[in-house]
Amino acid sequence: MQFVDLNAQHEDLAEELQAAMAAVIRDSAFVRGPHVDAFEANFARALGVRHCVSCANGTDALYIALRALGVGPGDEVITTAHSWIATSETITQTGARVVFNDTEPDYFCIDPVTIEDRITERTRGIVAVHLYGQPAAMGPILELARRRGLWVIEDCAQAHLASLDGRLVGTLGDVAAFSFYPGKNLGAMGDAGCLVTNRDDLAGFAALFARHGGKNDHVMEGINSRLDGLQAAILNVKLPCLAGWNKTRMRMAALYDAELATVPEVTVPAVRPGARHVYHLYVIRVPRRDELQKFLARRGIPTAINYPRALPHYPAYAYLGHGPESFPVAGGHAREILSLPMHPHLTEGDVVTVAAAIAEFFGQG
Ligand SMILES: *Cc1c(COP(=O)(O)O)cnc(C)c1O
């Protein structure tokens, strides 16, 4: 059993992928070009947004979005204490200060109730992460942002086609960042990313900034962050499969929920009312987490911890001076969370095997 099975995905699509890559080689369309243009149009259409600006990876997408919003030295940006470090390190890269907020007890996303306590006269905006594929509490976050004159960036790296009250994530805030790292719900065969927005000003800035500030006119200094043609062609093949793959993830999650219902030690992931959770990761909470992880590894069941600490508790953020007891929700989750195998080629048999092993560990099997 694999934690993420990319081989199975690529075997299914082998012919189309090979044809797509051959076309890129035939056209020598390696950087920018028609395959990249097609992917930007396809992904914008899939989300129903005006603009998709591709770039080299999801981390750059966040950085470019922040720069497009004018974030820089002296500014503060509020984000969640529980995410991959790309969410917060890009804030620091702009010269701004990252301000962490604790998470919700049930949904692992930024706690909308306490965000307001973090706002100062230097606060410019909020980066909300749809963690594990679950939409953040966008209703209250957007309401607060409107009331206090802040912008909202959505970090959608784990939430391709997730939705809240029927609206796709990535279309709710000012701008959203997506990653197509190979293991994401939509993955390339290397690094890839994009940002999406309905705001013409942000899309225009991003397209220039990501490409040295314009090809021959250099209206500003930018960076070099481009999606390459091979990755775009691969993503064009995979994009039509995304909705179906997400459905399988949801079906496997429902089966995990049912199979684990008999094990009282296990807290299965709760789904926010109105949300379509796309289960980039299926994350349970358990006592004796490290022992369980070792037990499962001995049975050949791979698991992961996403992530071992709350972001403010890593050495990278020691300068912020947060003690180990700060961020009690995110900090507590870091000790209890365990990500079970989850990918669109997982079988019902795999899920039953994993759940039975967990039940056995807790003496319920
Ligand atoms: C993967 C990820 C990113 C960064 O994407 P890359 O393409 O790896 O740079 C950002 N935020 C979150 C929450 C992620 O999971």
Side-chain angles (χ1 to χ4, degrees):
M1 195 179 315
Q2 296 192 50
F3 187 72
V4 172
D5 190 347
L6 296 177
N7 280 330
Q9 188 183 96
H10 296 150
E11 276 163 25
D12 277 359
L13 294 171
E15 277 178 36
E16 291 100 310
L17 288 168
Q18 269 154 23
M21 288 189 267
V24 176
I25 295 167
R26 182 196 64 216
D27 301 342
S28 293
F30 299 119
V31 174
R32 301 289 306 156
H35 304 278
V36 174
D37 293 343
F39 177 70
E40 289 179 340
N42 291 339
F43 198 66
R45 194 175 323 111
L47 288 183
V49 283
R50 287 168 66 86
H51 305 285
C52 168
V53 178
S54 60
C55 61
N57 55 66
T59 306
D60 280 2
L62 286 165
Y63 176 68
I64 295 163
L66 288 159
R67 291 295 302 264
L69 287 159
V71 178
D75 295 339
E76 291 178 0
V77 177
I78 299 169
T79 194
T80 174
H82 187 163
S83 186
W84 177 238
I85 193 168
T87 306
S88 49
E89 70 185 348
T90 45
I91 295 168
T92 313
Q93 278 164 20
T94 67
R97 186 175 174 89
V98 55
V99 176
F100 288 111
N101 194 52
D102 209 352
T103 50
E104 302 168 288
D106 292 333
Y107 306 126
F108 302 114
C109 295
I110 191 168
D111 181 354
V113 177
T114 49
I115 292 177
E116 193 149 19
D117 303 340
R118 309 273 94 78
I119 297 177
T120 72
E121 72 281 1
R122 291 169 177 265
T123 306
R124 297 291 170 261
I126 301 161
V127 181
V129 182
H130 307 302
L131 196 73
Y132 304 152
Q134 164 116 279
M138 293 306 286
I141 291 170
L142 291 168
E143 189 278 319
L144 172 66
R146 252 191 308 272
R147 191 155 47 77
R148 302 297 300 261
L150 307 175
W151 45 253
V152 176
I153 295 177
E154 295 176 76
D155 181 340
C156 298
Q158 304 188 358
H160 313 68
L161 302 187
S163 65
L164 192 58
D165 300 323
R167 297 175 66 199
L168 291 173
V169 304
T171 67
L172 305 172
D174 291 83
V175 52
F178 283 86
S179 166
F180 307 114
Y181 176 83
K184 301 285 160 97
N185 289 34
L186 177 62
M189 292 188 180
D191 278 310
C194 76
L195 51 88
V196 301
T197 181
N198 284 314
R199 282 181 54 177
D200 298 345
D201 60 330
L202 300 182
F205 179 98
L208 283 174
F209 181 73
R211 287 149 210 152
H212 301 294
K215 196 166 187 183
N216 291 316
D217 40 1
H218 303 309
V219 296
M220 62 175 107
E221 287 185 325
I223 62 172
N224 176 15
S225 183
R226 297 179 295 220
L227 178 63
D228 72 68
L230 278 169
Q231 301 308 336
I234 289 160
L235 289 168
N236 282 328
V237 171
K238 290 190 179 189
L239 179 57
C241 303
L242 174 59
W245 287 337
N246 280 347
K247 266 206 187 105
T248 307
R249 288 176 185 270
M250 288 182 255
R251 199 157 50 77
M252 292 303 141
L255 186 58
Y256 269 131
D257 289 349
E259 293 290 313
L260 291 169
T262 56
V263 190
E265 288 86 350
V266 176
T267 305
V268 299
V271 180
R272 187 185 309 285
R276 176 165 70 203
H277 186 324
V278 295
Y279 296 99
H280 172 59
L281 293 167
Y282 183 89
V283 180
I284 59 171
R285 286 186 281 147
V286 283
R288 296 162 60 206
R289 189 267 317 273
D290 294 343
E291 274 176 78
L292 172 62
Q293 186 175 37
K294 285 194 196 100
F295 177 88
L296 294 174
R298 284 196 297 274
R299 299 292 177 88
I301 297 171
T303 57
I305 298 169
N306 305 92
Y307 300 91
R309 296 193 203 181
L311 281 171
H313 297 163
Y314 282 102
Y317 294 108
Y319 73 92
L320 291 173
H322 297 301
E325 303 308 317
S326 58
F327 308 95
V329 179
H333 285 165
R335 290 187 287 272
E336 302 180 318
I337 49 176
L338 189 66
S339 308
L340 303 183
M342 174 53 80
H343 56 81
H345 294 81
L346 203 64
T347 66
E348 291 178 4
D350 292 335
V351 172
V352 170
T353 301
V354 175
I358 294 170
E360 188 188 330
F361 175 80
F362 286 113
Q364 316 282 331

